[in-house]
Amino acid sequence: MIRDIQERILALKKEKDALILAHSYQGREIIEVADFTGDSLQLSVMASKAKNPVVIMCGVRFMAETVKILSPEKTVYLANPIAGCPMAEQMDKELISAVKESLPGYTVVAYINTTAELKTVCDVCVTSSSAVKIVKKIDNDKILFLPDCNLGHYVAQQVPEKEIKLLQGGCPVHAAVTKQDVEIAKAAHPDALLLVHPECIPEVVAMADYVGFTSGIMEYAKKSDAKEFIIGTEMSITEHLQYECPDKKFYYLSKKILCPNMKATTLIDVLNCLEGTGGEVIELSEDVIRDARKCIDRMIELG
Ligand code: 13P
Ligand code: SF4
């Protein structure tokens, strides 16, 4: 059954010259039909280089919007329209415009997990994997970092020479993990290294052997000589690592780190996009594309 749907997807993808992009938090069955799987930075770079007229994003809304901003001439589908990112929806353009007025002279750095509209009033975007590098390179010591205060706290620790103001946003999935969850996981697997995403709270990040982003965590675990790892990011990453490295052992830091939005996309959603019966074609105004693009182009330039 799964194989039949995958074969229909692969045939239609060829016929329509569609590019299927999958964020690494997607399930194995989606990754198997994708042309490219990666973290949000890798997906945005891939999308800007691809020639295909149709792109299907298996991920969350801000990722499909980023593809549309970089390639306005393409038809970009969000495979499942309910797949939003709660963090991206925490702050809007009006709120940040007001905050900016109270902080003149600050460079506004937006995590890519923000809406296209909010990006129009920000100066530069960052992804989790490029945040530290870009904040270091910005020619201003005063930074307003939004929306994730946990990632922002981590960036501020890595770039102590800058004054970084934070707002109270964050990923409800990663931020749900507690210090006690870490203690329980470490007690159960005393020989395992703890690898953690910086969207987790600072107390959890401080207990990690390695702090990194989706691709960083995967690379670290694959290259490490260690044999056991507790993975402090979305549960799919633990599963992908176990599949790719059968000689090592991977444990969930907590079963709370399951993003329901990332898990919303199914093979049928992908098929519906290709058959023209589902998915959502992303529409953004020319003004939003123009202004949000400045912020993303600056990220690609500095990153
Ligand atoms: P990456 O930037 O590592 O792909 O992460 C995106 C995300 O949504 C993390 O929760
Ligand atoms: Fe958004 Fe968190 Fe889900 Fe990533 S894991 S898409 S930041 S809610």
Side-chain angles (χ1 to χ4, degrees), residues 154 160 181 193 195 287:
Y154 175 74
D181 292 323
L193 292 181
L195 318 185
D287 290 354

Side-chain angles (χ1 to χ4, degrees), residues 165-214:
K165 286 221 186 292
L166 305 175
L167 299 176
Q168 286 304 307
C171 166
V173 176
H174 285 83
V177 181
T178 61
K179 198 176 160 192
Q180 200 195 13
D181 292 323
V182 178
E183 286 161 359
I184 293 169
K186 282 192 170 205
H189 311 291
D191 297 328
L193 292 181
L194 174 66
L195 318 185
V196 161
H197 195 290
E199 283 176 14
C200 292
I201 59 171
E203 289 82 349
V204 167
V205 169
M207 295 166 90
D209 296 294
Y210 171 80
V211 182
F213 315 103
T214 308

Side-chain angles (χ1 to χ4, degrees), residues 10-118:
L10 294 176
L12 275 172
K13 180 176 80 148
K14 206 167 169 193
E15 191 184 309
K16 308 228 161 163
D17 193 12
L19 180 80
I20 301 180
L21 297 177
H23 188 268
S24 320
Y25 290 178
Q26 296 292 301
R28 191 92 232 136
E29 72 288 1
I30 302 275
I31 287 178
E32 282 171 356
V33 294
D35 296 283
F36 188 77
T37 301
D39 64 21
S40 54
L41 176 64
Q42 292 166 330
L43 293 182
S44 59
V45 171
M46 193 66 197
S48 66
K49 288 186 183 158
K51 299 270 181 286
N52 313 64
V54 176
V55 180
I56 299 173
M57 173 58 74
C58 304
V60 292
R61 181 170 296 274
F62 76 83
M63 296 176 180
E65 287 185 346
T66 305
V67 174
K68 184 69 184 173
I69 293 164
L70 289 170
S71 309
E73 72 292 354
K74 291 177 188 164
T75 303
V76 180
Y77 285 89
L78 174 61
N80 186 328
I82 68 156
C85 164
M87 160 146 60
E89 285 147 28
Q90 282 163 353
M91 290 175 196
D92 63 16
K93 186 180 159 185
E94 287 66 36
L95 171 77
I96 298 309
S97 300
V99 174
K100 274 173 69 170
E101 273 189 35
S102 68
L103 291 172
Y106 280 73
T107 296
V108 183
V109 177
Y111 193 15
I112 198 154
N113 300 38
T114 40
T115 63
E117 213 181 35
L118 177 54

Side-chain angles (χ1 to χ4, degrees), residues 31-301:
I31 287 178
E32 282 171 356
V33 294
D35 296 283
F36 188 77
T37 301
D39 64 21
S40 54
L41 176 64
Q42 292 166 330
L43 293 182
S44 59
V45 171
M46 193 66 197
S48 66
K49 288 186 183 158
K51 299 270 181 286
N52 313 64
V54 176
V55 180
I56 299 173
M57 173 58 74
C58 304
V60 292
R61 181 170 296 274
F62 76 83
M63 296 176 180
E65 287 185 346
T66 305
V67 174
K68 184 69 184 173
I69 293 164
L70 289 170
S71 309
E73 72 292 354
K74 291 177 188 164
T75 303
V76 180
Y77 285 89
L78 174 61
N80 186 328
I82 68 156
C85 164
M87 160 146 60
E89 285 147 28
Q90 282 163 353
M91 290 175 196
D92 63 16
K93 186 180 159 185
E94 287 66 36
L95 171 77
I96 298 309
S97 300
V99 174
K100 274 173 69 170
E101 273 189 35
S102 68
L103 291 172
Y106 280 73
T107 296
V108 183
V109 177
Y111 193 15
I112 198 154
N113 300 38
T114 40
T115 63
E117 213 181 35
L118 177 54
K119 288 182 177 81
T120 64
V121 294
C122 297
D123 298 307
V124 55
C125 271
V126 295
T127 61
S128 54
S129 56
S130 62
V132 170
K133 184 175 172 190
I134 291 179
V135 169
K136 276 187 183 165
K137 278 192 181 175
I138 291 170
D139 190 17
N140 188 356
D141 285 345
K142 292 180 170 182
I143 306 285
L144 170 64
F145 188 97
L146 59 93
D148 187 351
C149 62
N150 294 323
L151 176 62
H153 181 271
Y154 175 74
V155 173
Q157 277 184 329
Q158 306 303 307
V159 194
E161 65 277 17
K162 302 211 176 193
E163 182 198 325
I164 301 183
K165 286 221 186 292
L166 305 175
L167 299 176
Q168 286 304 307
C171 166
V173 176
H174 285 83
V177 181
T178 61
K179 198 176 160 192
Q180 200 195 13
D181 292 323
V182 178
E183 286 161 359
I184 293 169
K186 282 192 170 205
H189 311 291
D191 297 328
L193 292 181
L194 174 66
L195 318 185
V196 161
H197 195 290
E199 283 176 14
C200 292
I201 59 171
E203 289 82 349
V204 167
V205 169
M207 295 166 90
D209 296 294
Y210 171 80
V211 182
F213 315 103
T214 308
S215 47
I217 286 179
M218 292 186 85
E219 259 168 54
Y220 183 95
K222 285 179 193 170
K223 287 187 184 155
S224 169
D225 291 333
K227 292 285 176 213
E228 292 183 55
F229 304 87
I230 300 165
I231 302 297
T233 190
E234 219 279 340
M235 288 168 67
S236 306
I237 300 301
T238 315
E239 288 153 22
H240 299 329
L241 281 167
Q242 191 59 77
Y243 182 83
E244 288 175 40
C245 311
D247 57 323
K248 296 182 176 180
K249 283 189 175 160
F250 297 91
Y251 311 107
Y252 304 120
L253 168 54
S254 158
K255 289 193 180 172
K256 285 186 272 189
I257 328 183
L258 187 147
C259 177
N261 285 281
M262 282 285 188
K263 294 290 178 293
T265 303
T266 64
L267 279 176
I268 295 293
D269 293 326
V270 182
L271 184 63
N272 287 343
C273 293
L274 288 162
E275 288 183 336
T277 54
E280 179 182 329
V281 175
I282 298 292
E283 305 281 1
L284 296 172
S285 75
E286 278 180 25
D287 290 354
V288 167
I289 289 179
R290 185 195 58 230
D291 294 344
R293 179 156 188 154
K294 286 183 206 151
C295 188
I296 296 173
D297 280 346
R298 192 130 168 72
M299 168 182 84
I300 294 173
E301 185 193 315

